[in-house]
Amino acid sequence: MVRYRRLVSALFSTALMLTLSACASTASRPSQPEALEKAHSPAVSEETLTLLFAGDIMAHKNNYAYPAFSRIWDDVAPLVQSADLAFANMEAPVADSLPWSSYPQFNMHSSYAEAAIQAGFDVFSLANNHTNDQSLSGMQETRRWFSTRKGIWACGIKEKAGGPLTWQLIEKDGWKILFVAFTQVLNSWDSVSYIDYVPSRGEKLEALFTELAALKAAYSPDLFVVSVHADEVEYKRTVWEKQRTIYQRLIADCGADVVWSNHAHVVKPWNIVPASEKAPHGAIIMYANGNTISGQRTSPSWDAPDTERDWTGDGLMMSVCFTRTGSTIQLTKAEPHFITTVLAVDGQPVIRLLDEDLAKSMRRAGRYSWESYLTERRRLLEAIQPLN
């Protein structure tokens, strides 16, 4: 049976330099035996692990109408591949035996998902409000396809009705990462007993906290990543207090180091949690990383780039670095990379890094509306600040 186990850098650096400076100025000179002992003691090794978290991978009709799926990822693949592990939410069943299908009941074929894997993604959440769009057969085919992909980890769909929460224990370069994905929201109750679904309140949520804490205690991972498909209003950039409370409990009560949330289809702020007794490594909460690829913004508002629908064309890829020194693990860097979906000259939606070079390339191509539009979209996204 196949089990589904599968910035702070500046602040940390500044604090570290101040600490080292203070130590250098106040510490007494070690005695000769102490100096010799230190000289002959083995150096403490330092290892880093970089995780990248994207948002929703969607397949609207205008996405899968162009068969060159690898082209979607050409510009961002180097960033994705630079991470040791890259995470994304697969917002549709993956079932080759069923027809392609767009909103409101999605289905993609494995060639579309495979293009994301070839771009560098290797860890997927399958638990979301579209998981059961193609009923039980679509879910079972999705689960089987991901389980056959070597070096790929995914969870969120159960093998049997009413089975336990699915999870992955990923071993990467000497690190153990525990990964769990669940959804708080569904579009239908079809075969819900096969989905890692937990309501956002009540006894089942409390039972989940207990189960996650037990998983953490049983496997003692170096890092614990929890994916949440949130029960929240779509397209709104508000960080809801209910979600903040739940995510803080996932850290304090369950031992999560990363809480990675999606569903809003827009980019929201993130929150760096300082190291403490409840979060010994430090932690990060991402409230929504937007759309990594979708067909929701096909007609940009050239003269009003800040409209609600225009936010659905952008996403966040958050690069998170943990450093292990001896037996101590610490979150040492969280770097946001904003991305956007652009319509190529032939109309294919492709992902581009939302930077100054993108606007310049539009100017060189004579696509002046895109140049001014993307310049403003970049300004809006870069204005997003981490929450306290």
Side-chain angles (χ1 to χ4, degrees):
M1 168 177 134
V2 179
R3 289 295 307 270
Y4 274 26
R5 300 176 176 171
R6 302 230 297 176
L7 192 109
V8 236
S9 68
L11 293 174
F12 286 152
S13 299
T14 302
L16 181 61
M17 287 188 290
L18 289 172
T19 302
L20 291 176
S21 174
C23 290
S25 61
T26 61
S28 60
R29 187 180 182 90
S31 66
Q32 187 175 7
E34 290 174 330
L36 288 173
E37 183 180 347
K38 290 183 179 181
H40 292 288
S41 63
V44 178
S45 63
E46 184 174 276
E47 304 163 300
T48 61
L49 185 78
T50 300
L51 309 177
L52 183 133
F53 296 90
D56 300 323
I57 295 178
M58 307 189 74
H60 291 83
K61 186 174 182 179
N62 53 322
N63 298 122
Y64 60 75
Y66 298 84
F69 298 141
S70 62
R71 185 184 178 200
I72 293 171
W73 303 98
D74 283 347
D75 191 55
V76 296
L79 172 61
V80 178
Q81 293 168 10
S82 70
D84 296 298
L85 291 169
F87 296 68
N89 173 56
M90 192 60 74
E91 186 99 348
V94 181
D96 290 338
S97 67
L98 300 171
W100 290 89
S101 183
S102 187
Y103 179 84
Q105 292 180 306
F106 290 99
N107 183 56
M108 67 176 71
H109 285 184
S110 60
S111 54
Y112 194 86
E114 184 64 32
I117 289 173
Q118 294 305 315
F121 287 102
D122 32 33
V123 188
F124 295 90
S125 165
L126 306 180
N128 52 70
N129 56 305
H130 290 287
T131 299
N132 56 352
D133 276 4
Q134 300 301 319
S135 301
L136 179 57
S137 61
M139 286 194 289
Q140 290 177 324
E141 191 168 344
T142 302
R143 187 191 62 79
R144 284 195 300 268
W145 187 78
F146 277 100
S147 69
T148 62
R149 297 292 286 103
K150 185 177 180 181
I152 300 300
W153 299 270
C155 53
I157 302 175
K158 306 175 192 294
E159 185 176 16
K160 296 180 180 179
L165 185 76
T166 66
W167 49 274
Q168 292 278 4
L169 188 62
I170 305 167
E171 296 191 17
K172 183 71 174 182
D173 300 333
W175 294 72
K176 280 198 309 182
I177 303 97
L178 180 63
F179 175 57
V180 169
F182 66 94
T183 182
Q184 299 175 324
V185 58
L186 295 170
N187 291 344
S188 80
W189 295 102
D190 188 14
S191 301
V192 65
S193 59
Y194 286 85
I195 304 172
D196 285 331
Y197 164 70
V198 181
S200 59
R201 61 183 63 83
E203 293 180 1
K204 290 185 178 179
L205 178 61
E206 294 300 322
L208 175 70
F209 291 141
T210 301
E211 186 173 6
L212 292 179
L215 268 178
K216 174 76 180 280
Y219 291 96
S220 300
D222 298 304
L223 299 172
F224 188 12
V225 177
V226 179
S227 169
V228 186
H229 210 74
D231 178 12
E232 61 182 350
V233 181
E234 292 179 305
Y235 315 123
K236 302 299 182 183
R237 291 180 286 121
T238 304
V239 174
W240 309 99
E241 190 60 35
K242 176 181 71 174
Q243 295 305 120
R244 295 191 72 163
T245 299
I246 291 173
Y247 300 165
Q248 288 163 0
R249 285 194 63 186
L250 288 172
I251 294 169
D253 297 350
C254 308
D257 300 289
V258 177
V259 178
W260 166 51
S261 177
N262 285 294
H263 180 59
H265 301 297
V266 295
V267 175
K268 294 189 182 187
W270 53 96
N271 178 210
I272 302 301
V273 179
S276 66
E277 182 180 355
K278 293 290 188 178
H281 305 154
I284 181 170
I285 300 171
M286 289 161 278
Y287 290 96
N289 287 17
N291 285 332
T292 298
I293 182 66
S294 80
Q296 290 186 293
R297 186 182 68 188
T298 54
S299 300
S301 303
W302 305 117
D303 298 325
D306 195 14
T307 61
E308 183 176 273
R309 200 68 176 180
D310 287 83
W311 283 84
T312 66
D314 301 323
L316 166 65
M317 290 185 177
M318 180 68 79
S319 181
V320 181
C321 183
F322 287 90
T323 301
R324 179 167 57 195
T325 307
S327 59
T328 301
I329 295 174
Q330 187 176 31
L331 171 63
T332 49
K333 186 177 182 181
E335 182 178 7
H337 304 271
F338 297 112
I339 59 173
T340 193
T341 297
V342 173
L343 301 182
V345 175
D346 64 355
Q348 181 176 8
V350 298
I351 309 168
R352 300 290 299 273
L353 289 169
L354 188 52
D355 54 19
E356 186 177 358
D357 288 342
L358 176 57
K360 289 180 178 178
S361 72
M362 292 297 165
R363 185 190 317 156
R364 290 193 297 269
R367 305 180 74 184
Y368 302 114
S369 293
W370 274 106
E371 178 197 0
S372 57
Y373 176 81
L374 293 173
T375 298
E376 179 61 13
R377 290 300 312 155
R378 180 185 173 204
R379 186 193 69 78
L380 291 167
L381 284 161
E382 290 184 346
I384 298 174
Q385 295 296 314
L387 298 176
N388 294 324

